[in-house]
Amino acid sequence: MTVETSTTGAAAIDRARIKQLTEQQMDLLAQRTQRSKELYERAVKVMPGGVPSSFQENDPWPVYLDRGSGSRVWDVDGAEYTDFHNGFGVMCIGHANPAVGAAVKARHDEGTHFAAPTDGSIVVAEELADRFGLPQWRFTNSGTESTMDAVHLARGATGRDVILKIEGSYHGHHDAVMVSVYPSLEELGERDDPVSVPYGGGYPRALTDLTRSVPFNDADALASVLEKLDGKVAGLIMEPAMMNINIIPPREGYLERVRELTREHGVILIFDEVKTGATIARGGATQRFGVTPDVITLAKAICGGYPGGAIGMSKEVAELVASGTVHQYGTFNGNPLVMAAAQATLTEVLTEDAYAALEAANQKLRSGCDELIARYELPCYTQGLGAKGCVIFSAEPLYEYRDYLTKVDGELSTLAWLFHMNHGIFMTPGVEEEWTLSIAHTDEDAQRFLDAFEAFARDVTSS
Ligand SMILES: Cc1ncc(COP(=O)(O)O)c(C=O)c1O
């Protein structure tokens, strides 16, 4: 996904130089990925944009991958990269992880799908309850399904219709949350009365109007909106640390205040931990920040590269599902193959020790970037939590989406991405994504990243 941001952050860096280097690096990327170009030309004939999901689109064409092992991936032209993209933050276990592979192979030989419950779903639900502190769990097939079910639960629990979300946040592509995802500054409206902006076509206006947004890290704006909409709001869905506009952690005390306010107004609090869940601590952001919501949505890293998600619920919310008041369905929910992958991922691979190692590796990588940023006087800073980190191309810290729109240097971010790709670092395209480390990443992998970042820093600052 591409978000237009300003170019004001890096006044010290020559804009003409950025433009020239971007053209050079884009040409180099195109030259290096000729086989991807061929596949792209074939793919566009049968898939819109030549990709299975629009998030995989990229200029000049997507880099098509062939295989992965541990911390490495290889593209169809045979180039090897250290993978910091990690499947949009899914592959914390490393590619072709042997423990998960063995569990999936064993399960395959015993049958892969029954649409009847198996032991695996109980083990995974027990593990999630232990990690996140919510007692009841159900399974889904993606983050989108998890957040869709969470919205149904909030509405079912309260008998109200309005959903609040944070402006600039992405929670999947169903009607209730495809609102104010990446609106422009002009579209946003007042802080305590933001406009509901549909994210693309296909959503009835009546549904878009039922979702209202508030800025992140501003409990006063939330209090004001809750006051104005008193008795109408079913739920607030939010990432406890924003991870779709780089990484923005919560300010001290913010989540606690959100918890108080939602309780006072009878609003179901949903933490969307699709990104943070299995990556920033054993019990995700819920454990890390010590605030427990009513509902947690998970997907991505919990199933070790298989398509699954989960929803955690308080006892009261779970009763709605158990009693059939809110329907939570799915042919593939709790699929045995996915559960085998999730069980091995959560109980054998992503252990407490693994989280400690990921945190330490991330700190080290961030420190290396910080040193280079200081040495080359770059207008950016690092941010990180657990396995996830990023260099944010803004001279000042970001606290919310409005900062992101006005302070991030989109051109510099794009140039850094090109340097990484052309120096053997596979990174998420776009201005707003972060890196994800896996347990397979070594010091050598981190050094490779730092070498690429230094090449960028040197070239962009030399005249
Ligand atoms: C925070 C968050 N929630 C939900 C989703 C949707 O997940 P999925 O792509 O599995 O539908 C995403 C996807 O990036 C996400 O980042």
Side-chain angles (χ1 to χ4, degrees):
M1 82 192 106
T2 307
V3 187
E4 294 303 323
T5 57
S6 71
T7 54
T8 52
I13 295 190
D14 180 6
R15 306 313 304 183
R17 176 105 189 118
I18 296 177
K19 191 161 178 287
Q20 179 206 5
L21 286 172
T22 302
E23 281 167 11
Q24 272 173 18
Q25 292 293 320
M26 191 62 92
D27 284 351
L28 182 58
L29 182 65
Q31 279 165 34
R32 290 181 38 247
T33 56
Q34 285 299 302
R35 179 85 185 110
S36 278
K37 182 182 180 213
E38 284 167 31
L39 289 191
Y40 173 65
E41 283 164 357
R42 217 177 97 206
V44 284
K45 294 186 186 140
V46 285
M47 285 187 278
V51 286
S53 158
S54 297
F55 284 149
Q56 296 170 14
E57 282 172 1
N58 200 29
D59 286 336
W61 42 77
V63 175
Y64 290 76
L65 288 190
D66 183 30
R67 66 199 161 90
S69 176
S71 62
R72 307 286 164 116
V73 288
W74 286 263
D75 72 14
V76 289
D77 284 274
E80 183 223 57
Y81 304 79
T82 302
D83 190 6
F84 287 82
H85 179 314
N86 262 318
F88 276 130
V90 168
M91 298 310 296
C92 275
I93 60 167
H95 295 290
N97 181 288
V100 175
V104 168
K105 279 174 196 144
R107 182 67 252 183
H108 174 271
D109 293 346
E110 293 177 338
T112 58
H113 183 71
F114 312 112
T118 54
D119 177 55
S121 55
I122 307 171
V123 177
V124 178
E126 284 168 349
E127 172 72 13
L128 294 176
D130 184 53
R131 285 178 171 235
F132 291 86
L134 283 182
Q136 294 270 307
W137 291 81
R138 273 283 175 97
F139 295 100
T140 68
N141 304 289
S142 68
T144 294
E145 280 188 27
S146 296
T147 63
M148 180 185 72
D149 285 348
V151 165
H152 295 161
L153 287 169
R155 287 179 169 151
T158 57
R160 303 172 183 171
D161 288 340
V162 175
I163 295 296
L164 283 185
K165 73 183 281 288
I166 302 293
E167 55 191 27
S169 68
Y170 177 72
H171 299 289
H173 64 286
H174 58 92
D175 297 10
V177 291
M178 286 294 269
V179 180
S180 302
V181 176
Y182 295 116
S184 67
L185 205 53
E186 297 73 49
E187 290 172 310
L188 267 170
E190 298 299 318
R191 295 185 69 73
D192 62 352
D193 193 16
V195 177
S196 302
V197 186
Y199 187 44
Y203 312 105
R205 186 71 227 183
L207 290 186
T208 301
D209 287 343
L210 286 178
T211 299
R212 308 296 302 274
S213 63
V214 287
F216 190 60
N217 267 330
D218 186 344
D220 291 342
L222 173 64
S224 164
V225 169
L226 284 172
E227 208 53 58
K228 279 187 221 162
L229 297 175
D230 194 34
K232 297 199 173 84
V233 180
L236 165 63
I237 182 164
M238 62 185 295
E239 288 190 277
M242 290 189 82
M243 288 219 169
N244 278 306
I245 47 170
N246 302 132
I247 296 174
I248 306 187
R251 283 185 199 260
E252 193 72 33
Y254 170 65
L255 293 177
E256 287 80 355
R257 186 90 186 96
V258 167
R259 181 64 281 191
E260 276 168 23
L261 286 166
T262 46
R263 259 206 199 105
E264 271 168 40
H265 288 267
V267 169
I268 297 290
L269 178 59
I270 304 160
F271 278 176
D272 180 357
E273 292 228 43
V274 165
K275 275 193 151 175
T276 52
T279 60
I280 72 165
R282 186 171 172 273
T286 298
Q287 178 193 30
R288 189 157 180 146
F289 300 118
V291 173
T292 305
D294 304 297
V295 174
I296 292 173
T297 56
L298 296 173
K300 293 202 193 260
I302 59 161
C303 297
Y306 287 77
I311 330 158
M313 296 162 257
S314 66
K315 209 164 143 282
E316 296 72 32
V317 172
E319 190 46 37
L320 297 167
V321 181
S323 64
T325 309
V326 173
H327 300 301
Q328 200 273 332
Y329 294 145
T331 300
F332 283 103
N333 291 6
N335 169 267
L337 207 57
V338 176
M339 291 297 105
Q343 181 175 341
T345 297
L346 298 173
T347 63
E348 293 175 48
V349 186
L350 296 179
T351 57
E352 286 283 15
D353 287 351
Y355 286 108
L358 287 167
E359 187 86 32
N362 205 24
Q363 280 303 338
K364 215 164 159 183
L365 180 56
R366 275 183 71 189
S367 312
C369 290
D370 288 338
E371 269 171 40
L372 292 170
I373 290 168
R375 189 180 324 147
Y376 289 92
E377 298 181 9
L378 291 173
C380 52
Y381 68 99
T382 64
Q383 187 57 269
L385 290 166
K388 291 189 160 269
C390 54
V391 172
I392 302 181
F393 289 90
S394 162
E396 299 162 56
L398 309 183
Y399 296 104
E400 54 159 295
Y401 179 63
R402 290 171 195 243
D403 291 338
Y404 172 78
L405 276 184
T406 52
K407 293 177 180 157
V408 171
D409 187 328
E411 291 175 2
L412 210 49
S413 309
T414 302
L415 181 58
W417 177 79
L418 284 167
F419 263 87
H420 282 117
M421 288 296 284
N422 287 333
H423 287 79
I425 303 297
F426 199 69
M427 277 289 278
T428 37
V431 176
E432 66 285 337
E433 277 292 336
E434 61 272 343
W435 70 62
T436 304
L437 300 183
S438 80
I439 53 145
H441 280 69
T442 59
D443 285 352
E444 190 197 344
D445 291 322
Q447 191 54 51
R448 199 173 178 192
F449 185 101
L450 294 173
D451 291 345
F453 189 54
E454 179 154 22
F456 155 78
R458 199 186 311 114
D459 280 13
V460 85
T461 53
S462 68
S463 42

